[in-house]
Amino acid sequence: SVDCSAHCHKALQSCLNRPVAIATSPSFLWNELVLFVVIFPPHRLGWLVCNLPPWGAGLDVFHCASYGPQNGKYAFVLVHDLRLPSHGTSRGKTRNFVTSSVERTRLVQAANAMQAALVMMVPADDVALFPLLPDEKQALEGLGFRVVYVPWSLPPSMKHTKPRGLRCFHQDFVRLNALRLIEYDAVVVLDSDELVNGDVLPLLKCAARNYMLTASGPMSPVNLGVWAFKPDLALLDTTLDFLRSVDYYDVKAQIGGWDWIGFRPSGGGFVGDDCGQGLLWALFYKNGERNTTTALDAVWSRSKVPRPMSYQIDRCVWNFQADRPDTCAPGFACHDVRIRHKKIRAPQPPQEDQMKGRGCFYYEPVPPLT
């Protein structure tokens, strides 16, 4: 078995070109115990070694960052699909570009400390359902955001047009436009409810080495809340080629999904499998589960760029989602969290940074009653 929680690169180097047996712990993916005995080509073995151990293991971002550019140009990227009206509500929802003042303040502080840019990507006026208003643009720019208008929220000529629900469709696929931001060495695309809780520079330095970095979710192998990568127009072209070439097949059995590529290691469909989370999993992590050549192979054979090295990162550190600390890597403490996603609110902080085994708490003062 291989343990790459300390130095993934060393583990990878030690087992190239030979069979590798990896047994995951019961905490991996829905508490299933899975045994993989495989022979992988070197360009995919890196994914296998660094992504199949338990949650606490994965690519060592800090080690990776030590080889990244020391003076890179980086950006935090937020997106909005502008499918909600600017005033009033739609289905009980209002239009927020950053979930709360706490997230907004922390994000601006982190960007200033890292000398990183803040980018807000929105559909252009001619494609937005509810275009960005001048006062909204002015407010965003006042916070330090560079507003970038993009030509679509759903890729043109996309085959898959019937998602199970529209909630994730536009808001997921509009993020692909971040691949256009080639003026940056690396970007990290964040959900609007992500709370930057520490230094994110190691994540960006690692991504600048042309690594595609994501973390898992509690019910999906990829959670789009944190997505770090090196922008590349050719990679965007390849992604659009994939979306034009293949459809999504809504089959709950193991073989289904994008181009029938399957859902493993999930036992079936997962949250967001027909939207952005499933797209990234299929395009950047998966190999075909059929004996025949898939459209996925054909897309990468046509691509002007090689398939990037795609790695899972420790979600307890880089995309914390209300995990219990005992499900994270040994020695984990709540102060290790760099980015928090799913938050549990408490009226006041207790003495400890954990309470009743429910995970790391995020504290927000309760406003006085009026």
Side-chain angles (χ1 to χ4, degrees), residues 177-316:
N177 285 286
L179 287 163
R180 303 177 187 275
L181 299 173
I182 58 174
E183 61 268 39
Y184 301 107
D185 294 296
V187 302
V188 56
V189 182
L190 300 175
D191 271 358
S192 63
D193 61 348
E194 295 282 357
L195 179 73
V196 178
N197 199 58
D199 183 13
V200 185
L201 193 56
L203 183 69
L204 289 160
K205 285 184 176 181
C206 182
R209 300 179 61 196
N210 202 25
Y211 285 0
M212 183 79 67
L213 305 177
T214 62
S216 61
M219 294 182 289
S220 60
V222 168
N223 181 274
L224 266 184
V226 174
W227 177 29
F229 55 90
K230 182 178 179 65
D232 188 321
L233 292 176
L235 190 57
L236 175 61
D237 289 342
T238 300
T239 304
L240 297 180
D241 183 19
F242 180 78
L243 290 170
R244 288 190 298 265
S245 304
V246 309
D247 205 344
Y248 173 86
Y249 300 94
D250 193 1
V251 180
K252 292 301 182 183
Q254 178 52 244
I255 301 299
W258 296 88
D259 189 40
W260 301 99
I261 203 169
F263 304 107
R264 295 187 192 278
S266 168
F270 52 81
V271 172
D273 56 16
D274 62 333
C275 289
Q277 296 184 160
L279 170 67
L280 293 192
W281 187 242
L283 184 58
F284 296 117
Y285 287 95
K286 290 286 286 182
N287 283 324
E289 292 173 11
R290 304 182 303 179
N291 291 327
T292 57
T293 301
T294 66
L296 176 66
D297 301 319
V299 166
W300 283 113
S301 69
R302 292 193 297 267
S303 177
K304 296 179 181 178
V305 290
R307 197 177 190 184
M309 294 296 289
S310 304
Y311 289 104
Q312 293 275 283
I313 52 178
D314 188 345
R315 87 177 195 211
C316 291

Side-chain angles (χ1 to χ4, degrees), residues 9 13 34 46-48 76 85 145 150 157 162-163 174 181 217 223 230 281-282 285 369:
H9 291 82
Q13 190 64 38
V34 185
W47 178 90
L48 185 75
F76 290 100
F145 280 92
V150 298
S157 304
K162 298 178 181 179
V174 70
L181 299 173
N223 181 274
K230 182 178 179 65
W281 187 242
Y285 287 95
L369 295 175

Side-chain angles (χ1 to χ4, degrees), residues 293-366:
T293 301
T294 66
L296 176 66
D297 301 319
V299 166
W300 283 113
S301 69
R302 292 193 297 267
S303 177
K304 296 179 181 178
V305 290
R307 197 177 190 184
M309 294 296 289
S310 304
Y311 289 104
Q312 293 275 283
I313 52 178
D314 188 345
R315 87 177 195 211
C316 291
V317 175
W318 300 107
N319 192 9
F320 184 84
Q321 297 160 70
D323 300 89
R324 296 199 326 270
D326 60 4
T327 65
C328 297
F332 169 83
C334 291
H335 58 72
D336 294 329
V337 176
R338 301 293 177 105
I339 305 176
R340 300 189 187 195
H341 193 178
K342 307 301 180 186
K343 299 175 289 293
I344 304 171
R345 285 179 167 79
Q348 57 186 2
Q351 296 301 314
E352 304 294 332
D353 61 1
Q354 320 175 39
M355 182 187 290
K356 298 179 182 178
R358 292 176 59 197
C360 302
F361 278 74
Y362 159 69
Y363 305 108
E364 187 171 63
V366 176

Side-chain angles (χ1 to χ4, degrees), residues 4-28:
C4 63
S5 59
H7 294 291
C8 178
H9 291 82
K10 292 181 180 179
L12 172 61
Q13 190 64 38
S14 69
C15 59
L16 285 175
N17 298 313
R18 71 173 188 246
V20 181
I22 299 180
T24 71
S25 81
S27 66
F28 177 73

